[in-house]
Amino acid sequence: MPPSPTDSFFLTREPDVPTARSALTLIRRLAALAIGCLTLLVAPAIPHAADDAEPEPAAAEAPEPPVVTVTARRLNESLEDPAAFVDVIRLDQYAGRLVDTEEVLRQAAGVNVRSFGGLGSYATVSIRGSSADQVVVLVDGIRLNSTAGGGVDLNSIPPEQIERIEVLRGGESSLYGEGAIGGVVNIITKRGAGATANQASLTTGSYDTWRLAASRGGGAGQWRYYAGGSFFHTAGDYRFENDNGTTLDESDDFTDVRRNNELETRSLLVQAGYAPIAAVDLAAQNELYSSDAGVPGLVTFPSPHAHQKLLRELPVVSAAWAGLGLTDLSGKTQLSLRYERAQFRDGYGEQTGVPLASDRTETEPAAEQSFYYAWGEHQLWNLTGVYRHTALAGGDFGGPTRDAWGAALGDQAFLWARRVTLTGNVRYDGISDLDGAWSPKGGLALSPWDWLTVKGNIGRSFRAPNFSELYFNQGLVIGNPDLAPERALHFDGGLQLSWLPYFFAEGAYFRSEVKDLIEYQLVDGFRYKPFNVGRARLEGLELSTRTEATRYLALSGAYTLTYAIDETPGANRRGRQLPGRPRHVGFGRATGTAGIFSPFVEFNYVAGNYVTPANTKLLPERRLWNAGLVVSPDEHARIGWEMKNLADERVVDVRGFPLPGRSVYLTFDYSF
């Protein structure tokens, strides 16, 4: 049976879920009480906020005009959507370590990552109980989401090239168009500027794992440049407990080795920028990624010979300007191309029962034009237009194409020395093979004092059916060209407490009602066809904190409670937790500093995860500890030793795909 997106709508709780009723009722009451109290506090504070506030920035500073990608202005704030709940993860905190992109994302509140294997293996992200298809993933403003569907493989984005990752939690279709029901993962790559900087690193460790990475960047006068490349290899032949397909009978369990799980990746990022005058910035870059991987298959149905290759290229050119002709007007033009080629070979029919060779190519040129206008000192307007043409060839899709365009208008109003920020956005997306959709959103951020910010948002988002759901016809699966987009109404609210650099804490309540979810149903004998029948209610609580009360110790942590409740009609489904959405996810890290030594320890918790819509089968909860030590003998060198899965737990994120046990890695990093 093909994977079925079981996300659904509304919630009428049944007697068999008393815990959900009581917990969420308490959450709502606490949220209402907190908002009421804060309203009373804010009301008298706002009129006098300007008296002791910092001077307002000049009008030219407010829009930061040439920047169109989401760039944090303050801690956990989005330039495009100041009222949104955002996590900003900087990759320099992982210097001297071996990590992949999915491992980095696990620390963000509201995020659940599903990994199908060890380091570098296929991994997808869910935000606030969404499916992987309902999260938009960007690299420097370029969408990586394939119209073939299935979500974005996070580990196809090399961490060596990333400067920071910004996770926008909650529906963002008003800014980013279709697919952003759960949120957006915006990845910003490294840039060169100023004095020349070189970096090289080497990692070796368990399962014949190697990583080589090198980069050089800098700038002089009107020019800047950056070039970085990496090579990664792992045999992936780790041991795991094979239950022989009988989860309740431990007598036939045995220790097995993951076969055909090797992976090699290569990446190259080249960038150049030129500023002919102070008000104009021209840039060009190209990101090239390729992988060569074994496809081991399910534990109970291994495929020791299946193989897959991926090639992706992302060229982009842009021109940003500010104050040309009209002082308060700025804009940016960006042209890009996403090219992907995926080749799959299963000559023995180990996965499907018949030999299979698939060669799929996807080409997507895109153009985006944005304008910003600072209306005096208190208002910023933006107007954005986007066009994309997608063509998919091969893979039994029939060669479909799609033209998609979007137009968005946004407004940010800054009042009382930026103590109050009002945001409003509305976007219309037209899609050639589907109906168009409107996506409005409004937000409010109140900062009565420098240490407190209260936020709230409400809006609508949608996801267009992908080409697999519409047109894919092979074996037991048939497409449905009459599908409509999935739609969601979302709300969130919460607060931030901040005494920088010593303490930061954030709490948020969220709720999304999703309808017209696409699910596969049995039709015409043994064939499955997708229909808009699913409904769900996604509701929960997010908490995160970090503190550096002393220069010798830094602590951070995040916790997410998610009630992803299936509201699709059916006695065995309604009121159940959606498969693949664990109710509790937590992360914690402690990092010490003592001279040249920086020890660290991390903890990742994922609650039991249902694998069936009726909640009859549950993956066990997982508790993983990582620990290590980074030594910096001088300002240029780092030597890192780390142990992942310290307790050697045998765990899985996805049924049939075991994760590695204990592993050890050594990294040498040098910059000059």
mmCIF file of all heavy atoms in Angstrom, residues 91 94 97-106 113 115 117-123 154-160 162 165 211 232 263 644:
data_model
loop_
_atom_site.group_PDB
_atom_site.id
_atom_site.type_symbol
_atom_site.label_atom_id
_atom_site.label_comp_id
_atom_site.label_asym_id
_atom_site.label_seq_id
_atom_site.Cartn_x
_atom_site.Cartn_y
_atom_site.Cartn_z
ATOM 1 N N LEU A 91 25.113 27.680 12.321
ATOM 2 C CA LEU A 91 25.912 26.463 12.195
ATOM 3 C C LEU A 91 27.304 26.600 12.800
ATOM 4 O O LEU A 91 27.981 25.576 12.992
ATOM 5 C CB LEU A 91 26.016 26.061 10.724
ATOM 6 C CG LEU A 91 24.911 25.137 10.183
ATOM 7 C CD1 LEU A 91 25.058 23.743 10.789
ATOM 8 C CD2 LEU A 91 23.534 25.681 10.444
ATOM 9 N N TYR A 94 28.465 24.389 15.694
ATOM 10 C CA TYR A 94 28.857 23.004 15.470
ATOM 11 C C TYR A 94 30.277 22.886 14.925
ATOM 12 O O TYR A 94 30.660 21.822 14.415
ATOM 13 C CB TYR A 94 27.889 22.330 14.498
ATOM 14 C CG TYR A 94 26.505 22.136 15.080
ATOM 15 C CD1 TYR A 94 25.485 23.046 14.818
ATOM 16 C CD2 TYR A 94 26.231 21.058 15.914
ATOM 17 C CE1 TYR A 94 24.214 22.875 15.358
ATOM 18 C CE2 TYR A 94 24.968 20.882 16.454
ATOM 19 C CZ TYR A 94 23.967 21.797 16.170
ATOM 20 O OH TYR A 94 22.720 21.629 16.720
ATOM 21 N N ARG A 97 32.725 19.580 14.725
ATOM 22 C CA ARG A 97 31.884 18.398 14.908
ATOM 23 C C ARG A 97 31.411 17.860 13.553
ATOM 24 O O ARG A 97 31.441 18.563 12.537
ATOM 25 C CB ARG A 97 30.661 18.733 15.764
ATOM 26 C CG ARG A 97 30.970 19.126 17.188
ATOM 27 C CD ARG A 97 29.686 19.336 17.972
ATOM 28 N NE ARG A 97 28.795 18.176 17.873
ATOM 29 C CZ ARG A 97 27.551 18.152 18.346
ATOM 30 N NH1 ARG A 97 27.059 19.218 18.949
ATOM 31 N NH2 ARG A 97 26.807 17.069 18.217
ATOM 32 N N LEU A 98 30.934 16.622 13.559
ATOM 33 C CA LEU A 98 30.321 16.016 12.382
ATOM 34 C C LEU A 98 28.816 15.954 12.609
ATOM 35 O O LEU A 98 28.343 15.231 13.492
ATOM 36 C CB LEU A 98 30.867 14.602 12.144
ATOM 37 C CG LEU A 98 30.166 13.816 11.022
ATOM 38 C CD1 LEU A 98 30.429 14.473 9.674
ATOM 39 C CD2 LEU A 98 30.623 12.364 11.006
ATOM 40 N N VAL A 99 28.069 16.733 11.853
ATOM 41 C CA VAL A 99 26.616 16.718 11.934
ATOM 42 C C VAL A 99 26.057 16.747 10.515
ATOM 43 O O VAL A 99 26.753 17.103 9.558
ATOM 44 C CB VAL A 99 26.063 17.927 12.720
ATOM 45 C CG1 VAL A 99 26.489 17.869 14.176
ATOM 46 C CG2 VAL A 99 26.493 19.244 12.084
ATOM 47 N N ASP A 100 24.806 16.338 10.366
ATOM 48 C CA ASP A 100 24.105 16.558 9.114
ATOM 49 C C ASP A 100 22.944 17.512 9.378
ATOM 50 O O ASP A 100 22.628 17.856 10.520
ATOM 51 C CB ASP A 100 23.649 15.254 8.457
ATOM 52 C CG ASP A 100 22.939 14.324 9.410
ATOM 53 O OD1 ASP A 100 22.429 14.805 10.437
ATOM 54 O OD2 ASP A 100 22.889 13.109 9.131
ATOM 55 N N THR A 101 22.288 17.959 8.324
ATOM 56 C CA THR A 101 21.298 19.028 8.453
ATOM 57 C C THR A 101 20.095 18.597 9.280
ATOM 58 O O THR A 101 19.556 19.379 10.066
ATOM 59 C CB THR A 101 20.860 19.505 7.057
ATOM 60 O OG1 THR A 101 22.026 19.909 6.321
ATOM 61 C CG2 THR A 101 19.911 20.679 7.155
ATOM 62 N N GLU A 102 19.663 17.354 9.153
ATOM 63 C CA GLU A 102 18.512 16.906 9.943
ATOM 64 C C GLU A 102 18.845 16.886 11.431
ATOM 65 O O GLU A 102 17.990 17.196 12.264
ATOM 66 C CB GLU A 102 18.022 15.542 9.461
ATOM 67 C CG GLU A 102 19.023 14.396 9.578
ATOM 68 C CD GLU A 102 18.848 13.587 10.851
ATOM 69 O OE1 GLU A 102 17.993 13.949 11.682
ATOM 70 O OE2 GLU A 102 19.580 12.605 11.014
ATOM 71 N N GLU A 103 20.073 16.569 11.792
ATOM 72 C CA GLU A 103 20.468 16.571 13.198
ATOM 73 C C GLU A 103 20.431 17.982 13.770
ATOM 74 O O GLU A 103 20.020 18.201 14.924
ATOM 75 C CB GLU A 103 21.864 15.982 13.345
ATOM 76 C CG GLU A 103 22.346 15.849 14.769
ATOM 77 C CD GLU A 103 23.716 15.203 14.858
ATOM 78 O OE1 GLU A 103 24.215 14.696 13.834
ATOM 79 O OE2 GLU A 103 24.284 15.206 15.966
ATOM 80 N N VAL A 104 20.823 18.958 12.974
ATOM 81 C CA VAL A 104 20.803 20.351 13.412
ATOM 82 C C VAL A 104 19.365 20.816 13.654
ATOM 83 O O VAL A 104 19.068 21.509 14.630
ATOM 84 C CB VAL A 104 21.487 21.238 12.351
ATOM 85 C CG1 VAL A 104 21.275 22.708 12.655
ATOM 86 C CG2 VAL A 104 22.976 20.919 12.276
ATOM 87 N N LEU A 105 18.441 20.417 12.777
ATOM 88 C CA LEU A 105 17.057 20.884 12.880
ATOM 89 C C LEU A 105 16.317 20.310 14.074
ATOM 90 O O LEU A 105 15.299 20.870 14.502
ATOM 91 C CB LEU A 105 16.296 20.532 11.602
ATOM 92 C CG LEU A 105 16.405 21.529 10.452
ATOM 93 C CD1 LEU A 105 15.706 20.994 9.217
ATOM 94 C CD2 LEU A 105 15.812 22.867 10.846
ATOM 95 N N ARG A 106 16.788 19.208 14.615
ATOM 96 C CA ARG A 106 16.077 18.571 15.726
ATOM 97 C C ARG A 106 16.009 19.468 16.966
ATOM 98 O O ARG A 106 15.172 19.243 17.844
ATOM 99 C CB ARG A 106 16.740 17.243 16.093
ATOM 100 C CG ARG A 106 16.535 16.137 15.063
ATOM 101 C CD ARG A 106 17.160 14.839 15.526
ATOM 102 N NE ARG A 106 17.085 13.803 14.504
ATOM 103 C CZ ARG A 106 16.065 12.957 14.340
ATOM 104 N NH1 ARG A 106 15.027 13.052 15.164
ATOM 105 N NH2 ARG A 106 16.077 12.038 13.399
ATOM 106 N N VAL A 113 11.745 15.483 13.064
ATOM 107 C CA VAL A 113 12.498 14.983 11.914
ATOM 108 C C VAL A 113 12.368 13.469 11.857
ATOM 109 O O VAL A 113 12.505 12.794 12.880
ATOM 110 C CB VAL A 113 13.981 15.397 12.005
ATOM 111 C CG1 VAL A 113 14.783 14.767 10.878
ATOM 112 C CG2 VAL A 113 14.108 16.916 11.952
ATOM 113 N N SER A 115 14.103 10.261 10.173
ATOM 114 C CA SER A 115 15.283 9.790 9.467
ATOM 115 C C SER A 115 15.107 8.327 9.085
ATOM 116 O O SER A 115 14.625 7.523 9.879
ATOM 117 C CB SER A 115 16.532 9.955 10.337
ATOM 118 O OG SER A 115 17.665 9.405 9.712
ATOM 119 N N GLY A 117 17.653 6.352 8.226
ATOM 120 C CA GLY A 117 18.909 5.620 8.377
ATOM 121 C C GLY A 117 19.918 6.444 9.141
ATOM 122 O O GLY A 117 19.562 7.318 9.937
ATOM 123 N N GLY A 118 21.198 6.200 8.873
ATOM 124 C CA GLY A 118 22.271 6.858 9.601
ATOM 125 C C GLY A 118 22.646 8.197 9.014
ATOM 126 O O GLY A 118 21.857 8.852 8.320
ATOM 127 N N LEU A 119 23.877 8.628 9.283
ATOM 128 C CA LEU A 119 24.364 9.915 8.822
ATOM 129 C C LEU A 119 24.197 10.073 7.315
ATOM 130 O O LEU A 119 24.571 9.199 6.536
ATOM 131 C CB LEU A 119 25.841 10.075 9.180
ATOM 132 C CG LEU A 119 26.161 10.556 10.595
ATOM 133 C CD1 LEU A 119 27.633 10.367 10.884
ATOM 134 C CD2 LEU A 119 25.753 12.008 10.762
ATOM 135 N N GLY A 120 23.602 11.200 6.927
ATOM 136 C CA GLY A 120 23.460 11.519 5.516
ATOM 137 C C GLY A 120 22.303 10.856 4.821
ATOM 138 O O GLY A 120 22.013 11.182 3.661
ATOM 139 N N SER A 121 21.593 9.937 5.472
ATOM 140 C CA SER A 121 20.515 9.221 4.804
ATOM 141 C C SER A 121 19.286 10.107 4.655
ATOM 142 O O SER A 121 19.178 11.177 5.256
ATOM 143 C CB SER A 121 20.158 7.961 5.584
ATOM 144 O OG SER A 121 19.667 8.298 6.860
ATOM 145 N N TYR A 122 18.330 9.647 3.882
ATOM 146 C CA TYR A 122 17.116 10.390 3.578
ATOM 147 C C TYR A 122 16.396 10.778 4.870
ATOM 148 O O TYR A 122 16.179 9.944 5.759
ATOM 149 C CB TYR A 122 16.204 9.541 2.699
ATOM 150 C CG TYR A 122 14.945 10.240 2.239
ATOM 151 C CD1 TYR A 122 14.977 11.111 1.154
ATOM 152 C CD2 TYR A 122 13.735 10.036 2.893
ATOM 153 C CE1 TYR A 122 13.825 11.753 0.727
ATOM 154 C CE2 TYR A 122 12.578 10.668 2.469
ATOM 155 C CZ TYR A 122 12.632 11.522 1.392
ATOM 156 O OH TYR A 122 11.481 12.162 0.976
ATOM 157 N N ALA A 123 16.012 12.051 4.990
ATOM 158 C CA ALA A 123 15.339 12.543 6.186
ATOM 159 C C ALA A 123 14.415 13.686 5.799
ATOM 160 O O ALA A 123 14.752 14.519 4.948
ATOM 161 C CB ALA A 123 16.348 13.013 7.238
ATOM 162 N N LEU A 154 16.379 16.534 3.716
ATOM 163 C CA LEU A 154 17.187 17.539 4.411
ATOM 164 C C LEU A 154 18.671 17.308 4.245
ATOM 165 O O LEU A 154 19.465 18.258 4.167
ATOM 166 C CB LEU A 154 16.837 17.538 5.896
ATOM 167 C CG LEU A 154 15.392 17.887 6.260
ATOM 168 C CD1 LEU A 154 15.168 17.669 7.744
ATOM 169 C CD2 LEU A 154 15.065 19.316 5.874
ATOM 170 N N ASN A 155 19.060 16.043 4.190
ATOM 171 C CA ASN A 155 20.486 15.737 4.147
ATOM 172 C C ASN A 155 21.095 15.878 2.765
ATOM 173 O O ASN A 155 22.279 15.610 2.579
ATOM 174 C CB ASN A 155 20.728 14.338 4.714
ATOM 175 C CG ASN A 155 20.507 14.302 6.207
ATOM 176 O OD1 ASN A 155 20.665 15.307 6.892
ATOM 177 N ND2 ASN A 155 20.119 13.144 6.717
ATOM 178 N N SER A 156 20.295 16.311 1.794
ATOM 179 C CA SER A 156 20.863 16.669 0.497
ATOM 180 C C SER A 156 21.355 18.116 0.496
ATOM 181 O O SER A 156 21.790 18.634 -0.537
ATOM 182 C CB SER A 156 19.827 16.484 -0.617
ATOM 183 O OG SER A 156 18.773 17.436 -0.512
ATOM 184 N N ILE A 157 21.292 18.775 1.660
ATOM 185 C CA ILE A 157 21.780 20.147 1.811
ATOM 186 C C ILE A 157 23.003 20.084 2.722
ATOM 187 O O ILE A 157 22.868 19.919 3.938
ATOM 188 C CB ILE A 157 20.698 21.054 2.418
ATOM 189 C CG1 ILE A 157 19.390 20.907 1.643
ATOM 190 C CG2 ILE A 157 21.162 22.507 2.419
ATOM 191 C CD1 ILE A 157 18.185 21.435 2.369
ATOM 192 N N PRO A 158 24.213 20.160 2.193
ATOM 193 C CA PRO A 158 25.423 19.956 3.007
ATOM 194 C C PRO A 158 25.552 21.000 4.104
ATOM 195 O O PRO A 158 25.492 22.206 3.844
ATOM 196 C CB PRO A 158 26.555 20.085 1.987
ATOM 197 C CG PRO A 158 25.921 19.854 0.656
ATOM 198 C CD PRO A 158 24.529 20.376 0.781
ATOM 199 N N PRO A 159 25.729 20.588 5.360
ATOM 200 C CA PRO A 159 25.850 21.557 6.459
ATOM 201 C C PRO A 159 27.102 22.411 6.360
ATOM 202 O O PRO A 159 27.143 23.511 6.914
ATOM 203 C CB PRO A 159 25.872 20.667 7.707
ATOM 204 C CG PRO A 159 26.341 19.328 7.222
ATOM 205 C CD PRO A 159 25.803 19.193 5.831
ATOM 206 N N GLU A 160 28.140 21.930 5.670
ATOM 207 C CA GLU A 160 29.379 22.707 5.548
ATOM 208 C C GLU A 160 29.152 24.032 4.818
ATOM 209 O O GLU A 160 29.939 24.972 4.976
ATOM 210 C CB GLU A 160 30.440 21.907 4.794
ATOM 211 C CG GLU A 160 30.848 20.624 5.471
ATOM 212 C CD GLU A 160 29.907 19.475 5.142
ATOM 213 O OE1 GLU A 160 29.072 19.623 4.228
ATOM 214 O OE2 GLU A 160 30.006 18.425 5.805
ATOM 215 N N ILE A 162 26.303 25.885 5.043
ATOM 216 C CA ILE A 162 25.213 26.648 5.662
ATOM 217 C C ILE A 162 25.765 27.628 6.696
ATOM 218 O O ILE A 162 26.555 27.261 7.556
ATOM 219 C CB ILE A 162 24.201 25.693 6.328
ATOM 220 C CG1 ILE A 162 23.602 24.747 5.280
ATOM 221 C CG2 ILE A 162 23.109 26.478 7.019
ATOM 222 C CD1 ILE A 162 22.703 23.685 5.879
ATOM 223 N N ILE A 165 20.119 28.524 9.699
ATOM 224 C CA ILE A 165 18.822 27.992 9.294
ATOM 225 C C ILE A 165 17.753 28.728 10.084
ATOM 226 O O ILE A 165 17.848 28.852 11.312
ATOM 227 C CB ILE A 165 18.724 26.482 9.570
ATOM 228 C CG1 ILE A 165 19.838 25.729 8.840
ATOM 229 C CG2 ILE A 165 17.364 25.943 9.144
ATOM 230 C CD1 ILE A 165 19.876 24.245 9.164
ATOM 231 N N ARG A 211 34.657 12.521 5.918
ATOM 232 C CA ARG A 211 34.171 13.790 5.370
ATOM 233 C C ARG A 211 35.349 14.724 5.146
ATOM 234 O O ARG A 211 36.171 14.939 6.041
ATOM 235 C CB ARG A 211 33.166 14.471 6.298
ATOM 236 C CG ARG A 211 32.591 15.759 5.685
ATOM 237 C CD ARG A 211 31.834 16.592 6.711
ATOM 238 N NE ARG A 211 32.725 17.111 7.750
ATOM 239 C CZ ARG A 211 32.337 17.932 8.716
ATOM 240 N NH1 ARG A 211 31.085 18.290 8.800
ATOM 241 N NH2 ARG A 211 33.205 18.365 9.627
ATOM 242 N N PHE A 232 31.603 13.369 1.181
ATOM 243 C CA PHE A 232 31.191 12.565 2.326
ATOM 244 C C PHE A 232 31.020 11.114 1.884
ATOM 245 O O PHE A 232 30.461 10.841 0.818
ATOM 246 C CB PHE A 232 29.870 13.090 2.895
ATOM 247 C CG PHE A 232 29.317 12.259 4.017
ATOM 248 C CD1 PHE A 232 29.777 12.418 5.314
ATOM 249 C CD2 PHE A 232 28.338 11.307 3.780
ATOM 250 C CE1 PHE A 232 29.268 11.652 6.354
ATOM 251 C CE2 PHE A 232 27.821 10.535 4.807
ATOM 252 C CZ PHE A 232 28.293 10.704 6.097
ATOM 253 N N LEU A 263 26.766 5.366 1.231
ATOM 254 C CA LEU A 263 26.391 6.675 0.691
ATOM 255 C C LEU A 263 27.637 7.478 0.393
ATOM 256 O O LEU A 263 28.570 7.523 1.196
ATOM 257 C CB LEU A 263 25.525 7.442 1.703
ATOM 258 C CG LEU A 263 25.224 8.905 1.375
ATOM 259 C CD1 LEU A 263 24.323 9.015 0.151
ATOM 260 C CD2 LEU A 263 24.593 9.610 2.580
ATOM 261 N N LYS A 644 28.046 9.615 19.316
ATOM 262 C CA LYS A 644 26.607 9.703 19.085
ATOM 263 C C LYS A 644 25.930 8.442 19.607
ATOM 264 O O LYS A 644 26.493 7.360 19.540
ATOM 265 C CB LYS A 644 26.309 9.893 17.587
ATOM 266 C CG LYS A 644 26.909 11.164 16.990
ATOM 267 C CD LYS A 644 26.538 11.307 15.518
ATOM 268 C CE LYS A 644 27.235 12.505 14.882
ATOM 269 N NZ LYS A 644 26.765 13.783 15.427
#
